[in-house]
Amino acid sequence: MIENQSNRVITYEVSDLDSEIPSSLYYSYTYNYQWINRHENILSQYEFEKTDYLRLSDSELQIRKSEKTHIFSLKEIKSLDMEFRYLIIPLIIGGIVLSLSLVSIFSAVVESWVGMMLVSIGVILLYFGIKGSYQVSVETFSSKFSFFLDDEDKGLQSFLAGVNNYRRGKMNKF
């Protein structure tokens, strides 16, 4: 078995029955079949804190986040982006708690210290909802997966751009 750049090449020597001259058959794999047991080449890796990472090999993207590993075939990935999103659940709950606690304070339904505590909880939830979070989004042809990040990182943006360039270049070859 000979591996030649990204194409898989298997060469067998056979002899014709009519003549004793050996010839060789050449077959190039353009698809990664499961029955071909081959070693994955790790092309690039981006490491987060602790044990989390994004790893690009020649046929798949591995994302390890929160002690779970997600594997995406490069053929399945439609787009790979880092985007900012507001946190909807804290925004909704904070808005409801804040408005109801203000109404209850002004109508004297609850005591003022309880109302002020509920107002502060609502404001804190609204703050975390507006603060939002950055996420790595992997969109496949059937669904979209999002992975939360701690902060925006320029190194991660360049890694994702490199993965997208590699994926586009590889898909153009086939």
Side-chain angles (χ1 to χ4, degrees):
M1 184 180 303
I2 302 170
E3 214 168 321
N4 202 0
Q5 290 181 352
S6 67
N7 293 333
R8 311 304 169 245
V9 178
I10 297 177
T11 305
Y12 294 105
E13 288 205 11
V14 295
S15 62
D16 296 338
L17 294 176
D18 296 336
S19 66
E20 295 295 323
I21 303 170
S23 63
S24 60
L25 297 175
Y26 176 85
Y27 190 80
S28 175
Y29 286 100
T30 57
Y31 298 101
N32 293 322
Y33 295 107
Q34 297 296 325
W35 52 270
I36 300 175
N37 189 12
R38 64 178 188 83
H39 182 69
E40 286 291 324
N41 294 330
I42 297 174
L43 302 175
S44 181
Q45 181 168 334
Y46 182 84
E47 294 186 8
F48 297 111
E49 302 158 3
K50 303 175 189 165
T51 60
D52 298 340
Y53 60 82
L54 275 82
R55 182 180 294 161
L56 174 67
S57 67
D58 57 352
S59 64
E60 64 188 18
L61 175 69
Q62 296 178 4
I63 299 176
R64 181 172 172 89
K65 194 75 175 146
S66 303
E67 298 182 8
K68 292 182 182 177
T69 303
H70 304 274
I71 300 173
F72 300 98
S73 174
L74 290 180
K75 292 184 272 185
E76 296 174 357
I77 296 175
K78 187 175 179 181
S79 69
L80 182 67
D81 297 318
M82 186 169 88
E83 53 192 29
F84 176 80
R85 289 192 180 172
Y86 294 107
L87 301 176
I88 298 298
I89 293 175
L91 275 174
I92 292 172
I93 293 173
I96 291 171
V97 168
L98 180 63
S99 60
L100 289 179
S101 62
L102 285 175
V103 168
S104 66
I105 287 174
F106 292 126
S107 63
V109 174
V110 295
E111 292 190 28
S112 61
W113 66 273
V114 174
M116 290 307 291
M117 188 170 57
L118 289 174
V119 166
S120 62
I121 290 172
V123 168
I124 290 171
L125 286 173
L126 278 174
Y127 169 74
F128 283 115
I130 291 172
K131 183 181 174 192
S133 174
Y134 285 94
Q135 298 177 2
V136 172
S137 297
V138 180
E139 185 176 355
T140 63
F141 290 103
S142 59
S143 59
K144 187 172 185 176
F145 301 92
S146 296
F147 302 96
F148 286 97
L149 301 173
D150 294 332
D151 289 321
E152 181 183 17
D153 191 2
K154 300 294 182 189
L156 179 61
Q157 287 180 346
S158 64
F159 176 80
L160 294 176
V163 170
N164 283 329
N165 288 337
Y166 177 75
R167 187 182 54 79
R168 284 186 201 113
K170 189 171 182 176
M171 293 304 139
N172 289 337
K173 287 181 184 178
F174 298 118

